[in-house]
Amino acid sequence: MARPMNILVLQGGGALGAYQAGVYQALSEADIEPDWVVGTSIGAINGALIAGNRRRDVLARLEAFWTRVAQPSSSRGVALEHYETELAKFLALTTGVPGFFRPRPAWEIPLTHNWWGTPPSFYDVTPLERTLEALVDFERLGTRNLQDGKRLSVGAVNISRGAMRYFDSHDEPLSARHVMASGALPPAFPPVWIDGEAYWDGGLCSNTPIDYVLESERPGSDMPINCYVIDLWSPRGPVPETISDAMHREKDIQYATRAGHNLHFLKEINRLREALRKLGKHLPDAVRDDDDVAALLELARQSPVNIVRLLAPAREAETAQKDIDFSYSTIMERWRAGYHDMKGALAICPCRRDPVSDEIGANVCSYRSNLDGHLEDLTDVPFE
């Protein structure tokens, strides 16, 4: 059997995205290099850093980005981490994040009237464009040909149409603007204009772009696929007791994966393929040789699919502002957590095993790390 195609799916989540950097490090050390990276928002930024660099340079570029945006830029020790976290959130709101975004002057912010013709946003993301151009070689992005570099797809929302669009290096050259469009979360960040159309953060419609992977044409009918889905927001959580808790829980629910929908999608596809295979066995050769019928039966061919879903753990005393906690200590903690969790998942998940489940056409494994660092197997827990 041909070597598996490795697909890395990265959710959006601001500062939470440091977890994804650790995940990549663990995959790289296990000699699992993504052939295709699909991301939204911060997942698009991490995805561009992974796909737009030589393999030997990726970790250094990820580290360069995450240390550039860290503030405070270093840790003063465990005893002060709480204060550093609060300071980081305060600085993000008031002065922006280095290499990422900066506040607009108050008189330029068009709250009710746009006197200056400035974009409707509180922050300017010009620093992010410079950072991406410095750390990503967009000419390295590949197409569907596995020998042509890593393929990158980033999701954004067309504002006027209210529709999701994926900018894909398989279809067109990508630039820093496409990545910025994927992360243009309103009203903090301005719309990004591409080819005469304005775009916002893809997380407004689909924060985890697994649906794009499942709906896309397969790169090869006989090629097994290993798909690693990295979630940053928790679909499950306690019923809130305070307004602060409610704001936190609302964000988790809003941006968490709708994995149940994706699993149902897999089951339906497999059911239809099985029906086509059975139908094909009863057709006479003359009918099977018809071009239209042959094309339909070709859809029944199925390559093994393994999906490994990893849910980032919650940290103690998290709030709704956790996605703007760019403190160095928190970034490094999330990075280490992603590394630890993916190493643990690779040790126990059947991501390299066949055959594929007859029921859904895929092995689906799901894991989450508890506060004590223990990796919990959620494979048999009902999907949200």
Side-chain angles (χ1 to χ4, degrees):
M1 182 176 288
R3 79 160 180 86
M5 179 182 188
N6 297 315
I7 304 174
L8 182 58
V9 179
L10 303 175
Q11 194 178 70
L16 308 180
Y19 182 85
Q20 297 168 344
V23 166
Y24 172 80
Q25 181 182 0
L27 289 172
S28 180
E29 290 183 4
D31 202 28
I32 300 173
E33 194 67 18
D35 300 295
W36 181 14
V37 188
V38 189
T40 300
S41 198
I42 195 65
I45 294 175
N46 281 329
L49 292 165
I50 293 169
N53 283 292
R54 294 176 296 181
R55 179 176 179 177
R56 66 187 183 191
D57 296 330
V58 172
L59 278 175
R61 293 301 172 89
L62 284 169
E63 183 177 3
F65 172 79
W66 285 103
T67 53
R68 181 176 299 193
V69 301
Q71 60 173 350
S73 59
S74 61
S75 176
R76 298 296 188 269
V78 176
L80 296 178
E81 283 184 1
H82 171 73
Y83 300 100
E84 292 170 357
T85 292
E86 295 305 311
L87 176 61
K89 292 184 285 190
F90 174 77
L91 290 175
L93 291 172
T94 57
T95 66
V97 172
F100 201 152
F101 59 89
R102 62 192 176 203
R104 295 188 184 280
W107 59 87
E108 289 187 5
I109 299 174
L111 291 176
T112 57
H113 296 83
N114 197 334
W115 304 110
W116 307 98
T118 55
S121 67
F122 291 104
Y123 299 94
D124 172 21
V125 291
T126 302
L128 176 60
E129 186 170 16
R130 298 193 186 113
T131 296
L132 289 171
E133 290 175 347
L135 298 180
V136 178
D137 182 357
F138 286 94
E139 293 184 359
R140 294 191 62 86
L141 299 180
T143 65
R144 196 177 293 269
N145 184 346
L146 297 188
Q147 307 304 318
D148 192 32
K150 299 186 186 75
R151 178 182 174 189
L152 176 67
S153 306
V154 297
V157 174
N158 185 299
I159 298 174
S160 60
R161 301 177 188 175
M164 193 75 180
R165 175 173 176 182
Y166 286 92
F167 297 104
D168 195 325
S169 66
H170 168 67
D171 302 317
E172 60 185 310
L174 300 188
S175 68
R177 300 289 294 172
H178 296 92
V179 178
M180 293 166 63
S182 182
L185 185 65
F189 301 151
V192 176
W193 289 82
I194 298 174
D195 297 330
E197 300 276 2
Y199 292 90
W200 270 338
D201 193 304
L204 296 175
C205 283
S206 177
N207 197 38
T208 308
I210 182 64
D211 52 347
Y212 181 67
V213 173
L214 297 178
E215 294 169 4
S216 294
E217 179 185 354
R218 291 286 167 76
S221 59
D222 61 345
M223 176 177 287
I225 294 174
N226 290 338
C227 185
Y228 303 89
V229 183
I230 314 304
D231 289 5
L232 301 177
W233 303 87
S234 176
R236 291 193 171 197
V239 176
E241 297 182 357
T242 67
I243 295 297
S244 177
D245 292 342
M247 294 172 62
H248 183 200
R249 188 72 197 114
E250 178 197 22
K251 242 181 182 180
D252 272 340
I253 293 173
Q254 180 179 1
Y255 294 120
T257 297
R258 301 299 177 261
H261 167 78
N262 297 324
L263 192 61
H264 175 74
F265 185 81
L266 276 178
K267 291 180 179 179
E268 287 300 302
I269 287 180
N270 190 64
R271 184 182 64 82
L272 293 173
R273 284 194 175 124
E274 181 62 25
L276 285 173
R277 284 194 293 267
K278 290 180 179 178
L279 176 64
K281 294 177 182 178
H282 297 286
L283 295 177
D285 291 342
V287 176
R288 291 173 60 89
D289 291 339
D290 179 84
D291 290 343
D292 291 336
V293 175
L296 186 62
L297 294 178
E298 179 65 21
L299 295 176
R301 297 183 61 185
Q302 179 177 334
S303 56
V305 178
N306 298 296
I307 297 178
V308 180
R309 182 187 179 207
L310 194 60
L311 289 82
R315 299 175 71 244
E316 291 185 11
E318 281 186 334
T319 69
Q321 290 76 44
K322 61 186 177 181
D323 53 337
I324 58 171
D325 177 7
F326 285 93
S327 66
Y328 181 85
S329 59
T330 302
I331 285 174
M332 290 299 103
E333 181 181 340
R334 293 194 190 283
W335 185 310
R336 289 191 295 269
Y339 176 77
H340 172 270
D341 292 353
M342 181 51 78
K343 280 185 69 73
L346 291 175
I348 59 178
C349 74
C351 62
R352 297 184 179 90
R353 281 208 318 247
D354 290 318
V356 172
S357 164
D358 291 333
E359 179 190 1
I360 61 173
N363 284 317
V364 181
C365 300
S366 186
Y367 305 97
R368 178 173 55 204
S369 180
N370 296 324
L371 289 175
D372 61 3
H374 176 71
L375 201 63
E376 179 184 5
D377 189 341
L378 302 179
T379 302
D380 296 325
V381 176
F383 283 86
E384 291 80 7

